[in-house]
Amino acid sequence: MNTKYIFVTGGVVSGLGKGITAASLGRLLKNRGYKVTIQKFDPYINVDPGTMSPYEHGEVFVTDDGAETDLDLGHYERFINENLTHNSSITMGKIYSNVISKERRGDYLGKTVQVIPHITNEIKEKIYSFKDTDIVITEVGGTVGDIEGLAIIEAIRQIGLEKNPEDVAYIHVTLLPYITGSNEIKSKPTQHSVKELQSLGIKPDILVCRTERDIPNEIREKLAMFCNVRKTSVIQNKTADNLYAVPLMLEEEGLAREVCNHLKLEKHVPNNKKWEDMIADIREIKPEDSVNVAIVGKYVKLEDSYLSVIESLHHAGFANKVNVHIKLIDSETINKENVAKKLKDIDAVVVPGGFGNRGIEGKIETIKYVRENNIPFLGICLGMQMAVVEFAKNVLKLEDVNSAEFKEDCKNPVIHIMEDQKYIDKMGGTMRLGAYPCTIKKDSLAYKVYETEQISERHRHRFEYNNTYKESLEKAGLICSGTSPDGMLVEIVEIKEHPYFIACQFHPELKSRPNKPAPLFTNLIKVAKDHI
């Protein structure tokens, strides 16, 4: 069959869950036997989120091929269980950069370069770039009417003309606010949003309405009439009791049915049993069965900064049949005097990645406390580097020990920069980005966790373990249990005498799925549960 294209736009306000809607639809269509991929267009002018503060757009999600992307790609991967690529995350900065590069090379043969057709053609090229897939779902970031997103809207309008009508569907995610004073759901914001979209040349086929209350029949009829959609295509999207229950909720509301009807898809009967069983198992977890996990980091003011870590902990909770209660602790607030109080009643600790020296001492004090008090611990990226610094400082008793990232001229840089070009990222920068192989020692905790000698995990960092200190650190008890296949790069360190003390240079949270949790998280929660 022809490739089908589905475009998900948003209106009224941001944060309505376009990404979850797109991911949920991808899961429902995949459960019907179709090969699905998802991409995100972000209107901002940054080339990618790699240089943006986590407080701007949350975490940076990294793909296998080393692309630094929007966090919505994490939702996509977790829902459809497909590894996405750099083609799945496009910004207007990247589009403009590509067009300007082509103009400088003379690719446009001296033509005047304009938004239409040159920018819109570049956008369409990214949408059409997917091969060997049945359905491409494209989420457009921001809200309809945003000036920086107008070229994207124009491009997807053109696709509606270039393809057969049954090969393109437009879904508009919008808000139905509930006014407590008048006890009413108001449809006017949605009507105005649809009017704005129509003024740009796009008629939505389906409305996904974010609402706190059930949509009354008369409101559905009103939306259908004034927004020019079928009544059956007005889809209610309430807050679910669990994020991963959203696909089943939207299935019941008829989202996939309407999409299949519009796109004339023959395989319209879903096989949702595995997903239904997973949700049923999650709902059977008793409230009293729980563990408390602290994430000690520097970006805790915005929970989305650690979104994949948080979701991975929940996935691990599903696997161990416990609720994971997460406490975000600002590492800048931790010191030697209050660390015990800060970690009171905590069953496990995660020290995640990050950049810059803010809050580093608090992370080191946290790691020292969990090491000495046998609290299950997982260090990730910078968390691993600080575990090495803490051990060298407090066990080896080295003087002036640090990471060269924070103190270039320190006497003992147990973490330093690796300048060998073969270890630098796949996208041409100065960081190790994307998937790299790791070889695990057989007689180690890491091997017990992964149950294999060869793994592949995703990275995002510049500084590495300094092998000069490897022998002395291992003799003192900090074992290097995972390395690059050539043994040059240390990927995992652990302490054998501890219930669960393990840290990795990579980001295991980036490959965790609700039905296939990351092993390092699963075992962290298992040990925490067993030690309560």
Side-chain angles (χ1 to χ4, degrees), residues 346-391:
I346 293 298
D347 304 309
V349 171
V350 177
V351 175
F355 292 90
N357 62 2
R358 183 169 57 84
I360 290 304
E361 290 304 319
K363 291 189 175 188
I364 290 173
E365 287 299 332
T366 297
I367 294 168
K368 179 176 186 287
Y369 184 83
V370 299
R371 177 177 59 80
E372 293 179 343
N373 290 275
N374 291 327
I375 297 172
F377 165 75
L378 172 60
I380 298 171
C381 196
L382 182 61
M384 173 191 136
Q385 296 176 1
M386 292 303 98
V388 175
V389 170
E390 187 280 324
F391 198 89

Side-chain angles (χ1 to χ4, degrees), residues 268-323:
H268 54 84
V269 178
N271 181 7
N272 293 327
K273 188 176 187 311
K274 287 184 179 178
W275 204 264
E276 289 169 346
D277 290 344
M278 180 185 76
I279 297 302
D281 289 343
I282 293 170
R283 286 172 173 161
E284 285 179 1
I285 298 173
K286 298 175 182 177
E288 62 269 20
D289 293 336
S290 64
V291 296
N292 299 317
V293 180
I295 297 176
V296 179
K298 61 177 76 175
Y299 311 119
V300 297
K301 291 178 183 176
L302 181 66
E303 195 171 293
D304 278 355
S305 299
Y306 299 115
L307 181 60
S308 288
V309 174
I310 290 169
E311 289 305 310
S312 297
L313 287 168
H314 288 310
H315 302 165
F318 302 159
N320 286 287
K321 300 189 183 305
V322 293
N323 297 292

Side-chain angles (χ1 to χ4, degrees), residues 169-188:
Y170 298 102
I171 298 174
H172 194 49
V173 180
T174 184
L175 177 68
L176 287 182
Y178 176 77
I179 307 300
T180 54
S182 59
N183 195 31
E184 288 180 298
I185 289 178
K186 306 301 285 186
S187 65
K188 195 64 71 177

